[in-house]
């Protein structure tokens, strides 16, 4: 079968790979027909990261957990690329009850068994059943995260079909929700539970490196009734998308210096803050902009950081850093998408043909989606 393979910076190739087979009666084989580029994929696609990260580990600049997460050679190609897809079920093991051949399903990026302690408590990206020595068990990061392959393949093995796969709801376009495996629920978790706690609260989204997650967060917050969603970014293109989603676009110039200069010293107006710049300066800005009792979520993977702990103390702030648990959040997110109040397709800036994936995923744009015809028409 054909498998999109990350080779090195700016090089993706279709390569031949053996077809996966069922290893147990709980498994399914699916055929992805829509796939998207995750914001994190931009790091190895556009930067040489393996050697700098190895050096950073050697001199103890980077936390040794980076090695536990990404292996001894972080992002060293070749490895099967991609971890966001919508697929058709091609084959089911004998114990699979919730899906059948031909169903259209979202495949969450992380493997989750559905019955370990962490899965039971909604921590599905921290499923312990398969993690072994690695911190995560997931598609699209090579052997450091297990033998699962990448989402831009003709076939993908799903080890716990009933626990992992979520049906695409009626009336929802699979292309629009190409990022439901990862980036979209990552945006959802930064604002949806928070707006339940503080209905109508103003939201600040610091946009940037997590290109689409910040926009998903902004658009979802507007649709969930936030009285005001301010979206900060230096990218004009993303500011326009934020505006089209109903957020208030605020253009900033440069990064760290702007944040330092403009951060409120005591407290800001927002009960909900999101850092999608994935930078420590952006995270600090979001924290300093919180109103008393405010909750900030940082979606980046941060290194060692100085945080405004004094201001957080005086404001009774909450900071949440950490991987999202996509499988646990998907049912609520999909029910919300069915209302049609949020148009996720506005975040997608390029839809290309499946065969053109090696070129399309190298476009410097916010959200790239590739698609092909499903085998089972409806
Ligand atoms: Zn991702
Ligand atoms: Zn589990």
């Amino acid at each position: 079968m054909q498998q999109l393979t990350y080779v090195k910076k700016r090089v993706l190739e279709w390569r031949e790979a053996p077809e996966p087979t069922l290893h147990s009666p709980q498994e399914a084989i699916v055929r992805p027909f829509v796939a998207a580029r995750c914001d994190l994929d931009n790091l190895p696609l556009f930067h040489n990261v393996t050697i700098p990260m190895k050096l950073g580990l050697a001199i103890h600049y980077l936390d040794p957990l980076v090695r536990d997460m990404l292996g001894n050679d972080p992002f060293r190609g070749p490895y099967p690329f991609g971890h966001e897809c919508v697929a058709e079920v091609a084959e089911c093991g004998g114990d699979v009850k919730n899906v059948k051949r031909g169903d259209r399903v979202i495949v969450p990026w992380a493997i989750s068994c559905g019955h370990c302690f962490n899965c039971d408590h909604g921590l599905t990206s921290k499923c312990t059943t398969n993690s072994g020595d690695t911190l995560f068990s997931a598609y699209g990061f090579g052997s450091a995260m297990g033998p699962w392959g990448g989402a831009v393949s003709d076939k993908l093995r799903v080890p716990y079909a009933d626990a992992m796969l979520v049906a695409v709801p009626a009336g929802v376009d699979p292309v629009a929700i190409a990022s439901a495996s990862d980036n979209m629920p990552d945006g959802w978790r930064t604002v949806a539970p928070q707006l339940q706690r503080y209905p109508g609260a103003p939201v600040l989204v610091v946009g940037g490196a997590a290109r689409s997650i910040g926009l998903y967060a902004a658009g979802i917050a507007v649709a969930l009734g936030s009285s005001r969603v301010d979206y900060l970014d230096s990218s004009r293109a993303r500011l326009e998308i934020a505006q089209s989603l109903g957020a208030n676009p605020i253009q900033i110039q440069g990064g760290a210096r702007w944040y330092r200069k403009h951060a409120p010293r005591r407290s800001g107006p927002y009960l909900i803050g999101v850092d999608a710049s994935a930078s420590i300066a952006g995270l600090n800005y979001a924290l300093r902009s919180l109103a008393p009792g405010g909750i900030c979520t940082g979606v980046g993977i941060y290194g060692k950081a100085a945080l405004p702990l004094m201001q957080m103390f005086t404001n009774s702030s909450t900071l949440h850093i950490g991987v999202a648990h996509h499988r646990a959040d998907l049912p609520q997110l999909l029910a919300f998408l069915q209302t049609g109040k949020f148009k996720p397709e506005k975040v997608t800036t390029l839809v290309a043909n499946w065969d053109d994936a090696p070129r399309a995923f190298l476009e410097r744009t916010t959200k790239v989606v590739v698609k092909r015809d499903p085998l089972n028409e409806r």
Side-chain angles (χ1 to χ4, degrees):
M1 68 163 189
Q2 292 283 294
Q3 185 175 61
L4 189 66
T5 304
Y6 172 86
V7 180
K8 59 182 180 177
K9 177 185 164 186
R10 294 200 153 276
V11 181
L12 290 167
E13 288 175 3
W14 289 116
R15 289 195 179 176
E16 201 56 41
E19 282 203 5
T21 53
L22 297 175
H23 290 212
S24 92
Q26 293 138 36
E27 302 198 347
I29 303 292
V30 301
R31 174 187 182 267
F33 65 99
V34 175
R37 182 177 75 191
C38 163
D39 295 339
L40 181 57
D41 290 332
N42 293 315
L43 186 67
L45 283 177
F46 298 115
H47 306 275
N48 286 313
V49 283
T50 305
I51 289 173
M53 287 176 92
K54 284 189 77 144
L55 281 172
L57 284 163
I59 62 168
H60 308 292
Y61 174 74
L62 289 180
D63 195 305
L65 285 173
V66 171
R67 188 184 289 119
D68 299 346
M69 181 166 71
L70 295 168
N72 282 329
D73 283 295
F75 299 111
R76 166 98 64 202
Y79 63 83
F81 178 85
H83 55 274
E84 294 195 329
C85 74
V86 180
E88 286 173 301
V89 177
E91 190 184 350
C92 286
D95 291 350
V96 175
K97 295 181 182 65
N98 297 348
V99 295
K100 59 182 188 314
R101 192 180 152 86
D103 284 358
R104 294 181 183 178
V105 290
I106 295 150
V107 186
W109 79 289
I111 307 299
S112 62
C113 73
H115 58 72
C116 69
F117 180 89
N118 287 351
C119 284
D120 260 354
H121 290 81
L123 304 167
T124 51
S125 298
K126 293 300 297 174
C127 175
T128 51
T129 303
N130 264 292
S131 52
D133 291 339
T134 68
L135 286 178
F136 297 108
S137 187
Y139 298 104
F141 289 90
S143 58
M145 294 196 194
W148 311 112
V152 199
S153 298
D154 287 336
K155 294 278 173 69
L156 204 56
R157 179 179 153 218
V158 181
Y160 306 101
D162 280 343
M164 289 175 62
L165 298 175
V166 186
V168 176
V172 172
D173 176 10
V175 177
I177 59 159
S179 276
S181 305
D182 182 3
N183 289 172
M184 205 185 298
D186 207 347
W188 166 266
R189 58 92 181 226
T190 66
V191 292
Q194 296 79 348
L195 280 164
Q196 249 180 9
R197 166 137 183 226
Y198 293 126
V203 173
L204 169 71
V205 178
V206 179
R211 300 176 188 185
S212 72
I213 298 171
L215 290 169
Y216 288 132
I220 290 168
V222 170
L224 289 175
S226 164
S227 58
R228 178 189 180 90
V229 178
D230 286 341
Y231 178 86
L232 262 63
D233 208 322
S234 56
S235 155
R236 238 172 231 291
R238 285 194 296 268
L239 287 163
E240 278 172 22
I241 295 171
Q243 187 165 27
S244 79
L245 292 166
N248 175 40
I250 300 173
Q251 171 108 43
I252 63 165
Q253 308 291 342
R257 263 179 62 183
W258 190 95
Y259 296 128
R260 271 198 297 275
K261 192 170 162 205
H262 292 86
R265 198 176 68 83
R266 288 193 147 188
S267 67
Y270 306 99
L271 276 163
I272 300 164
V274 180
D275 174 53
S277 75
S279 70
I280 288 160
L283 179 66
N284 267 272
Y285 181 83
L287 282 166
R288 288 186 180 279
S289 302
L290 291 178
I295 310 165
C296 174
T297 306
V299 303
I301 303 174
Y302 307 93
K304 296 163 190 163
L307 296 173
L309 296 178
M310 185 68 193
Q311 190 174 349
M312 289 173 69
F313 170 80
T314 58
N315 269 332
S316 196
S317 308
T318 301
L319 168 62
H320 183 235
I321 298 284
V323 66
H325 300 287
H326 310 74
R327 174 59 186 88
D329 287 339
L330 269 172
Q332 269 193 306
L333 168 60
L334 291 171
F336 160 75
L337 289 172
Q338 267 191 303
T339 67
K341 288 181 186 160
F342 169 60
K343 306 280 182 213
E345 60 270 26
K346 288 187 177 175
V347 178
T348 302
T349 46
L350 176 64
V351 179
N353 289 325
W354 187 270
D355 292 346
D356 296 333
R359 196 175 40 79
F361 281 133
L362 293 175
E363 291 290 332
R364 283 198 179 265
T365 185
T366 296
K367 176 60 75 184
V368 181
V369 174
V370 297
K371 62 168 187 169
R372 58 181 163 180
D373 289 336
L375 296 178
N376 295 287
E377 284 301 338
R378 314 207 146 180

